[in-house]
Structure formats: structure tokens, C-alpha cells
Amino acid sequence: MPRSVTGRDETARGIAQLEGYLLSQTYRQNARAEAEAFADRLPWLTSAQYDEVVELYTAERMALTRRVLEATVQRCGELRQEYTERYEQLRGRLLHRVTVALLAGFAACVMAPAVLLLVRR
């Protein structure tokens, strides 16, 4: 059953989007600074060539950042799945062991009077 979106959910989503936007702008500024530093080492470039190198470098750097972030997101999903499966296994084992222990305790409580009667004879 789908959960209805509340004001709190919308606020959290909006904050996450804003954070993502700010991070992307920071990445873009850093990429551009790196591009300009690279192009500055090529003093023979004309102004148009300089601008083109900066734009191409920035675009390549942003593409690399996107690929790295997508790979990270994918790996996070894989790890989440692995950890969820492992958690389910451990929870199942724990439930099994607790059930066995409770049944053994119950059996001991039920059998104790009968054993005492046999011992007294």
C-alpha cells in the first residue's frame, strides 16, 4: 500500500534536491578551476582555444564525476541488498534458536513434575 506524501516528506525531498544542486555546483566550480589551471599551463593558446580547452576539460571532468557517483550509487544498492539478505538470515537463525530454547524450557517445566514423581518412588 503506497504511503501518502506528507509535508515532512516533501520538505526532506526538497532539502535533498537543494543539497544535490549545491553539490553539483561545487563539483562544476572545482572542475572549472582545474580546467583553468590546466589551460594556464598552455601559454600558446589563443583566447578562443583557451576557452575551448576549459570547456572541454570541464565537461570531461563532470562526466567523470557523474560516472563515479553513479558507480557509487550502484554499489550502495548492491551492498544494501547484500546486508539486507544477511540480516534476514541472521534474524531467521536467531528466531529459530530462541524458539528452540523456549520450547526446551517449556518442555523442562512440563517434564519436571513427572521426573520428580519418578524420583520419589
Side-chain angles (χ1 to χ4, degrees), residues 19-35 57-70 72:
E19 182 182 21
Y21 173 78
L22 293 174
L23 280 173
S24 71
Q25 291 304 306
T26 300
Y27 287 138
R28 181 168 300 286
Q29 288 173 352
N30 290 341
R32 184 155 187 92
E34 289 175 18
Y57 187 105
T58 302
E60 284 298 316
R61 184 75 162 98
M62 291 303 293
L64 173 64
T65 299
R66 177 175 286 283
R67 288 192 304 271
V68 168
L69 288 174
E70 287 172 350
T72 302

Side-chain angles (χ1 to χ4, degrees), residues 5-112:
V5 178
T6 64
R8 184 172 285 177
D9 292 336
E10 288 178 18
T11 302
R13 187 177 302 119
I15 290 172
Q17 288 175 342
L18 178 60
E19 182 182 21
Y21 173 78
L22 293 174
L23 280 173
S24 71
Q25 291 304 306
T26 300
Y27 287 138
R28 181 168 300 286
Q29 288 173 352
N30 290 341
R32 184 155 187 92
E34 289 175 18
E36 289 171 350
F38 176 75
D40 286 342
R41 294 188 310 216
L42 307 172
W44 60 85
L45 295 175
T46 65
S47 294
Q49 290 171 331
Y50 179 91
D51 292 340
E52 185 176 1
V53 166
V54 168
E55 290 305 314
L56 290 172
Y57 187 105
T58 302
E60 284 298 316
R61 184 75 162 98
M62 291 303 293
L64 173 64
T65 299
R66 177 175 286 283
R67 288 192 304 271
V68 168
L69 288 174
E70 287 172 350
T72 302
V73 167
Q74 180 180 355
R75 184 62 182 142
C76 286
E78 292 168 358
L79 287 173
R80 180 184 307 249
Q81 182 64 33
E82 290 175 26
Y83 290 152
T84 299
E85 290 171 4
R86 182 70 176 143
Y87 171 78
E88 292 296 327
Q89 289 174 352
L90 292 173
R91 190 174 74 168
R93 272 200 217 147
L94 179 62
L95 178 63
H96 179 261
R97 288 180 182 174
V98 167
T99 302
V100 167
L102 287 174
L103 289 175
F106 179 72
C109 288
V110 169
M111 296 299 290

